[in-house]
Amino acid sequence: MGIFRGPFPAIPGAPLGVAAACSSSHKRRDAIKKGYDDLQAIVPTCQQQDFSIGCQKLSKAIVLQKTIDYIQFLHKEKKKQEEEVSTLRKDVMALKIMKVNYEQIVKAYQDNPSEDKVQLSDQVKFNVFQGIMDSLFQSFNASISVSSFQELSACVFSWIEEHCKPQTLRDIVIGVLHQLKSQLR
């Protein structure tokens, strides 16, 4: 004997509430079935077929578990993206500060042109550059792991944030200039 689904005919002599209850129960089951079908259509992991079970329809428990797993995955991805946005905002702020500092340096240089100042030889310029780069490379070499490209990428950004701040670079340059000044005496 099969299960009859569909609108229930009024049963003569039965209370009117029975037909209404059956109809509302049927609507509720249809709504739940549609909800599971919608979840299965929306959640990507529910759409991937497991070849061990063939092309069978997923059970409601599996649909719910895959939906939960997918929502957890989305939460993790959202958190990663929020952290990345935060890091990028910090990078933008640091770059804006550097830009302002460089603009101030250019303005100071333009306001005080070096018409009557002693010209430096290329060797002195190179020594200044070399001193700055040696100092930066020492900290870079001590901080950076190159065992994989992923580690290198992650380390480089944190190193730049740590060692290439305008104040840090200024301190390095001042130290190098003091060192060269004492050598030139």
Side-chain angles (χ1 to χ4, degrees), residues 27-47:
K27 287 179 185 177
R28 184 183 61 78
R29 282 193 309 273
D30 283 347
I32 291 171
K33 181 183 179 310
K34 182 182 179 330
Y36 277 102
D37 291 344
D38 290 347
L39 278 178
Q40 195 167 352
I42 292 171
V43 176
T45 54
C46 289
Q47 296 169 1

Side-chain angles (χ1 to χ4, degrees), residues 43-66:
V43 176
T45 54
C46 289
Q47 296 169 1
Q48 300 167 352
Q49 292 295 324
D50 184 355
F51 294 111
S52 64
I53 61 171
C55 292
Q56 298 173 351
K57 187 173 179 178
L58 298 176
S59 71
K60 292 176 181 178
I62 291 175
V63 170
L64 285 178
Q65 186 58 53
K66 286 183 179 248

Side-chain angles (χ1 to χ4, degrees), residues 13 23 28 37 47-48 72 113 137 141 148 178 181-182:
S23 178
R28 184 183 61 78
D37 291 344
Q47 296 169 1
Q48 300 167 352
Q72 289 172 340
F137 182 73
N141 197 30
S148 73
H178 282 302
K181 183 178 177 182
S182 65

Side-chain angles (χ1 to χ4, degrees), residues 55-129:
C55 292
Q56 298 173 351
K57 187 173 179 178
L58 298 176
S59 71
K60 292 176 181 178
I62 291 175
V63 170
L64 285 178
Q65 186 58 53
K66 286 183 179 248
T67 301
I68 290 167
D69 294 343
Y70 185 64
I71 290 170
Q72 289 172 340
F73 166 77
L74 290 176
H75 281 294
K76 287 177 186 173
E77 286 297 308
K78 180 184 175 198
K79 185 176 180 181
K80 280 185 202 175
Q81 289 176 350
E82 288 170 347
E83 289 170 358
E84 187 175 337
V85 165
S86 175
T87 300
L88 290 172
R89 284 190 175 132
K90 289 176 186 175
D91 291 347
V92 167
M93 184 59 72
L95 290 170
K96 285 179 180 179
I97 291 169
M98 290 172 69
K99 178 183 175 239
V100 167
N101 287 335
Y102 287 129
E103 287 171 345
Q104 290 172 351
I105 291 169
V106 168
K107 185 173 180 344
Y109 182 77
Q110 289 172 343
D111 291 345
N112 300 318
S114 59
E115 297 169 5
D116 56 321
K117 294 186 180 175
V118 178
Q119 293 293 319
L120 296 176
S121 70
D122 287 341
Q123 184 60 42
V124 173
K125 292 177 188 176
F126 177 75
N127 289 344
V128 170
F129 179 77

